[in-house]
Amino acid sequence: DDLKPGILYFLAEDTDTAVRQAVANNLSAPRKADVLLAKDDDADVRGDLAGKIAQLAPGLSPDEQDKAKNATYETLERLAHDQITKVRGILSEALKDFADAPPDVIKTLAMDTEIEVSGPVLEFSPTLSDDDLLQIIEYGPASGGLNAISKRAGVSEAVSDGIIGTDDVSAIAHLLSNDSAQIREATLDDLIENAPDVGLWHAPLVGRPKLSGGA
């Protein structure tokens, strides 16, 4: 961490992959080195960079005036569109808990066609609003994406309605099993009406913390 930025930038172009990985992991590396490494031919280098760059992501926006912050955002965007699923997955896992992660980057990851990438942010990211989630539900997330949304803490009534409206049996079962999910009483009544032939719903319906006498 006491090397001059120029030396670290020089080493970011080293022919030895291990050297480039070391620079990718170094928080002291200049942001222009990160931009360079985001284009590296080695997926492990880009994966290590994804893990590091996520630590610098909170509070960033696409219209940063600061050149260093703008370069960091550019790196995040590039990694979020990386051709290797593993790299995008590392970024998603690293960003999933940040409340002030860049919304555009989070939405890109949430719309990814691979559940390894979209799953972590769909289930955990506080950056995604109800409107974002409803848009993703309407668009159709990756296979397993509806299950991830159903497991979120504090699913709102509107999002619950959106999930139930898909008629995805597995996602609805996960939603019913989520005690923090808000589900309208009328919606629960409708599910109960349709539940006799859907064994997957029986136990979670019975286990709902608040059921009306009629239910």
Side-chain angles (χ1 to χ4, degrees):
D1 60 7
D2 58 352
L3 286 176
K4 292 181 179 179
I7 294 175
L8 287 169
Y9 183 77
F10 172 77
L11 291 172
E13 295 185 293
D14 198 273
T15 56
D16 190 325
T17 301
V19 173
R20 301 198 308 278
Q21 277 188 276
V23 178
N25 281 297
N26 192 329
L27 285 168
S28 298
R31 300 290 76 87
K32 64 178 183 178
D34 293 335
V35 173
L36 180 67
L37 291 167
K39 307 170 190 175
D40 199 278
D41 290 336
D42 192 283
D44 289 334
V45 172
R46 302 196 307 275
D48 284 0
L49 177 65
K52 179 191 77 173
I53 208 71
Q55 300 177 55
L56 307 171
L60 290 177
S61 66
D63 55 354
E64 292 287 355
Q65 299 301 310
D66 183 292
K67 286 185 177 180
K69 290 183 177 180
N70 191 56
T72 301
Y73 187 89
E74 179 186 339
T75 303
L76 282 168
E77 278 277 285
R78 183 175 291 276
L79 292 170
H81 289 93
D82 198 278
Q83 62 181 348
I84 302 297
T85 301
K86 176 184 174 183
V87 174
R88 305 194 308 276
I90 290 170
L91 186 63
S92 178
E93 189 66 35
L95 288 176
K96 68 180 184 182
D97 296 318
F98 288 126
D100 55 351
D104 290 348
V105 174
I106 292 295
K107 286 174 73 173
T108 295
L109 295 169
M111 300 286 279
D112 200 280
T113 56
E114 300 291 338
I115 191 62
E116 178 184 341
V117 180
S118 61
V121 292
L122 286 176
E123 183 172 351
F124 297 106
S125 178
T127 303
L128 292 170
S129 66
D130 279 1
D131 286 343
D132 292 331
L133 293 168
L134 289 170
Q135 181 183 4
I136 292 166
I137 291 169
E138 182 179 359
Y139 176 82
S143 177
L146 289 174
N147 288 351
I149 296 173
S150 296
K151 297 175 186 176
R152 288 175 66 87
V155 178
S156 70
E157 288 183 344
V159 173
S160 290
D161 286 346
I163 292 167
I164 292 166
T166 67
D167 293 325
D168 186 304
V169 171
S170 176
I172 293 171
H174 282 292
L175 185 70
L176 291 170
S177 298
N178 182 353
D179 288 349
S180 71
Q182 302 170 42
I183 304 175
R184 303 180 206 277
E185 185 175 318
T187 303
L188 272 176
D189 289 341
D190 288 342
L191 289 174
I192 289 170
E193 287 291 328
N194 294 312
D197 296 324
V198 188
L200 202 59
W201 295 353
H202 295 178
L205 270 170
V206 171
R208 290 296 300 171
K210 294 182 181 178
L211 283 176
S212 67

